[in-house]
Amino acid sequence: MNYERFFEEAIDQVRAERRYRVFADLERIAGAYPKAIWRADGQAKEIMVWCSNDYLGMGQHADVVAAMQNAAGRMGTGAGGTRNISGTNHPLVDLEVELAELHGKESALVFTSGFVSNEASISTIARLLPNCLVLSDELNHASMIEGVRRSGTEKKIFRHNDVAHLESLLQGAGWGRAKLIVFESVYSMDGDIAPIRQIVELAEKYNAMTYIDEVHAVGMYGARGGGITERDGLGHRIDVIEGTLAKAFGTLGGYIAGHRSVVDAVRSYAPGFIFTTALPPAVAAAATASIRHLKGSSVEREMQQQQVARTKDVLSAARLPVMPSATHIVPLLVGDPELCKQATDRLLSRHNIYIQPINYPTVPRGTERLRITPGPFHSDALIDGLRDALVETWDAIGIPYATAGRPVVAASDRIIPLLVPKSGG
């Protein structure tokens, strides 16, 4: 049997569906973010990154880098084992205390990634609840979907941010049945925000637990970076808050924070936690330094929000199809996977601008886009340069511009945006 043939056919299928992905070989330059070195075909050149999840540039912050270097120098590079077998290093213990305090919770638990924290926590919590019904937003991240699937419990999907639909499902489940509502605060492809207060009120009304994914919000929202739940004063009404250390905090790892008994149960039952080597002390120390800095500093958040607003204004004024977003995510609609790939290739090769194409299955077909994430270090001049490069690319490739009288609608609204060529007025 030719085993390789099956894998080749699988890759051919991905190519045929126009969703084959090519990774860019990047070398970030500490102290010069968002600059990076791009290596391809044996050559290297300096580019500007416009799609990083290091939203605040904390991955190059002097205090964060120093904390990592110091911990590695004192304790070495690896954790040395799972949490149960010599891997519970002291910086990791400190980090969990810091995270619990950030969210005003009794306890926190750190995982090796945000994906693992969602998959392991959701599956374990739902599995431990008797006859649990999981109610999941239809646009939840793949890690949450996998957690729901692995729980083996009954699930129902509610329409994105549709609290009326959620309430009808809660009513149908009955007050006495165990129920777990899983949703996100910031949805990273459209940049919209969940109606958290209404969801919490429904959970309290119908006796349900709440589990919120704040990975695209921690560090960036709230007076101390506790996310949308902190900003809106709702953290104490959420049962489990999940977050990441790999985005705004600039390091690596995921975590949950919540009631001590819930966190301890996940620690004791989740295979994705129990059988995984612990986060290295240097990474934990760097994450703690980043969290502590952002608890006391709002400069990075304010600068980011200022540059995000300017980017949206500048691109919209050029009639580029900026999709509505209430957050730091700036989605730019292309609507075709081939054009999306052509646009990103041209931006990189001609303009030294790196923006990764976002195609199906990450977003629905017909809503392919560029996902731009301006940060505090994207200057006004860089924003203007981005606009000029995008306009040149749109014209060269023939991507439609937005109409003058109607804004582009979000993909989550399930409406095809009305677009016209620029020459169409």
Side-chain angles (χ1 to χ4, degrees):
M1 181 178 291
N2 182 1
Y3 286 100
E4 289 186 9
R5 176 173 58 88
F6 297 103
F7 301 104
E8 291 167 354
E9 290 174 354
I11 293 299
D12 288 342
Q13 179 65 28
V14 174
R15 292 184 188 276
E17 294 174 357
R18 299 184 295 180
R19 57 187 183 91
Y20 183 78
R21 303 186 181 193
V22 178
F23 297 153
D25 182 352
L26 303 178
E27 180 181 323
R28 293 174 12 129
I29 306 173
Y33 180 81
K35 290 182 181 179
I37 302 298
W38 173 50
R39 301 183 188 277
D41 302 322
Q43 298 186 356
K45 69 175 182 176
E46 189 176 279
I47 62 166
M48 205 65 62
V49 178
W50 277 94
C51 58
S52 174
N53 283 344
D54 187 2
Y55 293 130
L56 302 179
M58 292 302 293
Q60 67 169 12
H61 193 281
D63 291 350
V64 179
V65 174
M68 177 173 281
Q69 292 172 333
N70 179 269
R74 291 187 297 112
M75 288 173 272
T77 55
T82 65
R83 292 295 297 273
N84 190 48
I85 306 175
S86 81
T88 300
N89 54 82
H90 186 65
L92 187 47
V93 174
D94 281 345
L95 173 59
E96 289 175 338
V97 172
E98 199 73 34
L99 287 165
E101 197 278 334
L102 173 66
H103 293 292
K105 298 298 185 182
E106 293 176 347
S107 186
L109 192 67
V110 169
F111 299 77
T112 51
S113 76
F115 190 103
V116 174
S117 61
N118 269 334
E119 183 275 327
S121 300
I122 292 172
S123 62
T124 301
I125 292 168
R127 190 169 62 250
L128 290 177
L129 292 172
N131 190 30
C132 180
L133 172 66
V134 180
L135 302 116
S136 178
D137 187 288
E138 67 174 329
L139 293 189
N140 277 342
H141 189 267
S143 59
M144 304 179 78
I145 295 170
E146 185 66 10
V148 173
R149 186 185 72 81
R150 285 185 174 276
S151 72
T153 64
E154 183 183 0
K155 70 175 186 298
K156 290 188 181 294
I157 311 301
F158 61 92
R159 291 185 293 271
H160 180 53
N161 285 349
D162 189 334
V163 291
H165 187 210
L166 174 60
E167 181 166 21
S168 70
L169 296 176
L170 288 166
Q171 287 175 332
W175 192 90
R177 184 179 182 182
K179 298 171 290 295
L180 177 66
I181 305 171
V182 295
F183 62 109
E184 301 181 41
S185 60
V186 173
Y187 288 85
S188 64
M189 289 301 114
D190 293 342
D192 57 335
I193 298 175
I196 302 173
R197 186 177 301 276
Q198 293 96 312
I199 291 175
V200 167
E201 289 171 350
L202 287 177
E204 293 170 348
K205 179 179 179 180
Y206 292 99
N207 190 31
M209 279 188 69
T210 48
Y211 180 108
I212 190 168
D213 177 314
E214 285 253 54
V215 298
H216 291 280
V218 290
M220 292 175 293
Y221 299 93
R224 303 191 311 151
I228 300 295
T229 50
E230 183 198 21
R231 186 197 71 176
D232 295 350
L234 295 168
H236 64 290
R237 297 172 69 181
I238 298 285
D239 291 299
V240 180
I241 296 174
E242 187 266 349
T244 185
L245 306 168
K247 293 182 170 61
F249 293 130
T251 58
L252 181 71
Y255 66 89
I256 60 169
H259 302 293
R260 191 176 309 279
S261 59
V262 176
V263 173
D264 200 20
V266 173
R267 182 188 70 87
S268 301
Y269 281 89
F273 174 82
I274 296 169
F275 300 108
T276 299
T277 297
L279 210 63
V283 176
T288 300
S290 182
I291 294 165
R292 286 175 179 168
H293 175 83
L294 290 174
K295 280 181 177 179
S297 172
S298 61
V299 173
E300 293 81 5
R301 287 187 283 276
E302 292 170 358
M303 288 177 61
Q304 185 207 34
Q305 291 167 12
Q306 174 182 304
Q307 296 310 92
V308 167
R310 188 175 191 279
T311 301
K312 291 177 180 178
D313 290 343
V314 167
L315 300 189
S316 296
R319 294 180 54 202
L320 290 158
V322 179
M323 302 169 71
S325 166
T327 63
H328 58 283
I329 308 296
V330 184
L332 198 61
L333 184 76
V334 177
D336 178 272
E338 292 292 341
L339 293 180
C340 202
K341 183 64 167 62
Q342 290 177 35
T344 57
D345 287 347
R346 187 178 185 87
L347 286 167
L348 186 55
S349 62
R350 186 181 180 90
H351 300 285
N352 299 329
I353 288 175
Y354 175 62
I355 307 173
Q356 184 67 15
I358 305 296
N359 293 332
Y360 176 85
T362 305
V363 294
R365 298 184 194 275
T367 69
E368 293 83 3
R369 68 198 66 178
L370 306 185
R371 177 182 174 273
I372 301 168
T373 54
F377 299 104
H378 288 97
S379 65
D380 291 354
L382 289 179
I383 293 170
D384 291 343
L386 173 65
R387 173 203 58 205
D388 296 343
L390 287 167
V391 168
E392 190 280 334
T393 299
W394 249 241
D395 289 341
I397 297 176
I399 302 173
Y401 282 75
T403 61
R406 178 183 175 188
V408 178
V409 296
S412 60
D413 293 332
R414 297 294 189 259
I415 301 172
I416 300 299
L418 177 61
L419 300 171
V420 296
K422 189 176 184 181
S423 60

